[in-house]
Amino acid sequence: MSYVQRVLDKLIEKNDGQPEFIQAATEVLTSLEPVIEANPQYEKNAILERITEPERQLMFRVPWVDDNGNIQVNRGFRIQFNSAIGPYKGGLRLHPSVKLGTIKFLGFEQIFKNSLTGLAIGGGKGGSDFDPKGKSDREVMAFCQSFMTELFRHIGATTDVPAGDIGTGAREIGYMYGQYKRLTTKYEGVLTGKGLNYGGSLARTEATGYGLVYFLDEMLKDHNIDLAGKTVVISGSGNVAIYACQKAQTLGAKVVAMSDSNGYIYDEDGIKLDTVKRIKEVERGRIKEYVKDHPTAKYTEGKGIWTIPCDVALPCATQNELNEEDAKTLIANGVIAVAEGANMPSTIEATNAFIEKGVLFAPGKAANAGGVATSALEMSQNASMTAWTFEEVDGKLHNIMKNIYKNAAEAAEKYGHKDNLVVGANIAGFVKVADAMIAQGVC
Ligand code: GLU
């Protein structure tokens, strides 16, 4: 039995009840086979056993008082997965579905994603089963302050730098930053995604979505395809989806559908992004309200966004939102490219279906790395007490995405899997971290 298979069998045995983590680890480790075979030092140094075991996992009680005076208790998490190439870095997910295994899969993905950016950031992730949806600002603040009252002792600008993710946006980061400052008396870049008047970076809000489309554009150009004029379907309507839509439209594509967890809208004439932004960013409402402003558009309750014919699909909602059946429907409808804005939105079966049929496929850990990369740029600005212009940050982001594409494509080719960016991204992300771990000894 191969080294990879032995490690995977042990992982499955040891991590009962963490299917998403097992899925992420299976995808990564399986695609590393060629590099593991060619480099016996990885097995000799037990790199796969070490890289799949978090350096530290924190789980804590988060009590807070709701608007009716009742005490609520949530569970907080922070997983400091790997610090071989830099301080732990990764977002905080606030969603009722969050469990230890969810944060573990996200933290594991983050190791390779952060490595791919070429910047000095290790892998970490955190969050809670708290649901900000429907809560008042005061309730969100009470939760965030309580969450930080435990988390503050474990993080720091050169130790661990959390950020946003699903459910954590500028409002939540602001409350958490205020509490960190109060508890430590330190004004430092301990969180990214901050407001612009207290240390945030220009273009951070747009970064994940813009970066996704920069990556997509690079991948298409490499195959002599122009994004202009293409029909695009984007799942989700959060931060990633909104700015992916904006950049795709700027580059001349026609975005015809977006969604939220209730249903999806289809606007044949092209999505009017200002309406989506108002509903989602200002009113914190539901996507179905779009049709009130645009009666020719159609709202459909439930899943099903992938039945809409398109040239390019950008899953930007959440993990495992696109399964094998969805993939087959997209393929039958003639999809050319799929680029993942969310973390692990396609199941392994869906990914394999795309790759087998020659659909250009950009995995999340490469294609959505623009967000965390720009977070690292925010850390640089905070450390040097400067603020760069939008153009400067956006220019660096664009270059980073081009490099990630180039490195992933080259690694895929070098190890005999030309055009398979899943293999390429995993290998390119892995080698840098693994070599740093070997250099730093058994730790
Ligand atoms: N949550 C984002 C991600 O999945 C951003 C993390 C960050 O900026 O640290 O990469």
Side-chain angles (χ1 to χ4, degrees), residues 59-284:
M59 224 166 115
F60 50 93
R61 179 168 72 205
V62 189
W64 55 280
V65 179
D66 70 19
D67 286 348
N68 297 319
N70 296 323
I71 299 170
Q72 300 289 341
V73 180
N74 286 105
R75 185 175 282 176
F77 302 95
R78 185 72 184 165
I79 298 192
Q80 301 180 328
F81 221 121
N82 193 299
S83 62
I85 62 166
Y88 310 107
K89 180 85 198 84
L92 297 170
R93 177 168 296 191
L94 301 183
H95 192 273
S97 66
V98 164
K99 295 188 177 61
L100 182 65
T102 323
I103 302 299
K104 210 162 152 188
F105 115 69
L106 290 163
F108 184 68
E109 289 282 292
Q110 205 82 41
I111 303 171
F112 306 95
K113 183 198 304 198
N114 294 5
S115 167
L116 282 168
T117 67
L119 303 166
I121 39 178
K125 200 88 184 192
S128 172
D129 57 359
F130 173 77
D131 187 2
K133 214 182 284 165
K135 302 285 189 302
S136 70
D137 284 351
R138 197 212 57 82
E139 289 177 320
V140 170
M141 181 170 73
F143 168 82
C144 289
Q145 290 181 339
S146 181
F147 184 80
M148 189 51 84
T149 302
E150 174 55 36
L151 188 66
F152 88 96
R153 69 190 88 246
H154 308 290
I155 62 175
T158 55
T159 313
D160 183 356
V161 182
D165 196 81
I166 293 173
T168 307
R171 173 181 63 170
E172 290 74 17
I173 292 291
Y175 293 147
M176 288 184 196
Y177 189 71
Q179 186 71 354
Y180 178 86
K181 189 162 61 69
R182 198 171 167 208
L183 291 165
T184 61
T185 73
K186 282 193 184 131
Y187 204 105
E188 57 174 13
V190 66
L191 291 164
T192 58
K194 298 185 291 295
L196 294 177
N197 51 5
Y198 63 94
S201 173
L202 283 162
R204 174 64 189 86
T205 310
E206 294 83 355
T208 315
Y210 278 20
L212 174 67
V213 177
Y214 291 148
F215 190 96
L216 167 72
D217 193 38
E218 218 42 42
M219 178 172 79
L220 292 177
K221 275 189 190 141
D222 203 20
H223 293 83
N224 300 314
I225 302 168
D226 197 350
L227 180 58
K230 297 288 177 294
T231 300
V232 180
V233 167
I234 304 180
S235 64
S237 48
N239 172 266
V240 181
I242 286 177
Y243 293 97
C245 177
Q246 188 173 88
K247 186 53 78 179
Q249 289 179 339
T250 309
L251 296 184
K254 184 171 168 196
V255 181
V256 294
M258 289 178 86
S259 65
D260 64 16
S261 52
N262 292 103
Y264 62 93
I265 49 165
Y266 172 65
D267 191 338
E268 197 179 14
D269 306 325
I271 294 284
K272 317 294 176 294
L273 194 58
D274 284 348
T275 309
V276 177
K277 284 179 83 171
R278 193 199 70 228
I279 296 168
K280 288 291 167 183
E281 292 180 341
V282 184
E283 297 164 1
R284 293 182 190 272

Side-chain angles (χ1 to χ4, degrees), residues 225-434:
I225 302 168
D226 197 350
L227 180 58
K230 297 288 177 294
T231 300
V232 180
V233 167
I234 304 180
S235 64
S237 48
N239 172 266
V240 181
I242 286 177
Y243 293 97
C245 177
Q246 188 173 88
K247 186 53 78 179
Q249 289 179 339
T250 309
L251 296 184
K254 184 171 168 196
V255 181
V256 294
M258 289 178 86
S259 65
D260 64 16
S261 52
N262 292 103
Y264 62 93
I265 49 165
Y266 172 65
D267 191 338
E268 197 179 14
D269 306 325
I271 294 284
K272 317 294 176 294
L273 194 58
D274 284 348
T275 309
V276 177
K277 284 179 83 171
R278 193 199 70 228
I279 296 168
K280 288 291 167 183
E281 292 180 341
V282 184
E283 297 164 1
R284 293 182 190 272
R286 307 307 298 163
I287 198 86
K288 66 169 172 232
E289 286 151 35
Y290 181 90
V291 295
K292 284 188 200 151
D293 290 56
H294 309 287
T296 54
K298 196 169 160 252
Y299 173 73
T300 309
E301 191 81 14
K303 295 186 192 311
I305 191 168
W306 306 122
T307 58
I308 299 172
C310 60
D311 303 309
V312 175
L314 303 179
C316 297
T318 195
Q319 67 269 16
N320 292 330
E321 56 161 304
L322 198 165
N323 62 26
E324 189 176 9
E325 206 186 307
D326 299 323
K328 285 185 177 155
T329 308
L330 283 164
I331 293 165
N333 286 336
V335 74
I336 305 167
V338 178
E340 298 185 323
N343 292 310
M344 206 171 75
S346 313
T347 62
I348 292 187
E349 296 75 25
T351 305
N352 291 340
F354 289 131
I355 291 174
E356 273 162 29
K357 293 285 177 206
V359 174
L360 301 176
F361 183 81
K365 67 172 74 66
N368 75 33
V372 74
T374 307
S375 277
L377 301 178
E378 182 173 331
M379 289 162 69
S380 297
Q381 293 170 79
N382 292 163
S384 57
M385 301 191 87
T386 49
W388 303 334
T389 62
F390 188 97
E391 290 66 33
E392 204 170 341
V393 181
D394 188 41
K396 287 186 201 291
L397 167 66
H398 201 158
N399 275 335
I400 289 168
M401 298 317 295
K402 282 185 179 173
N403 276 331
I404 297 176
Y405 177 75
K406 186 170 159 278
N407 292 340
E410 280 175 8
E413 191 163 4
K414 178 170 169 193
Y415 287 97
H417 290 266
K418 190 169 168 3
D419 289 336
N420 184 334
L421 295 175
V422 173
V423 171
N426 286 334
I427 291 180
F430 169 79
V431 168
K432 185 177 161 193
V433 177

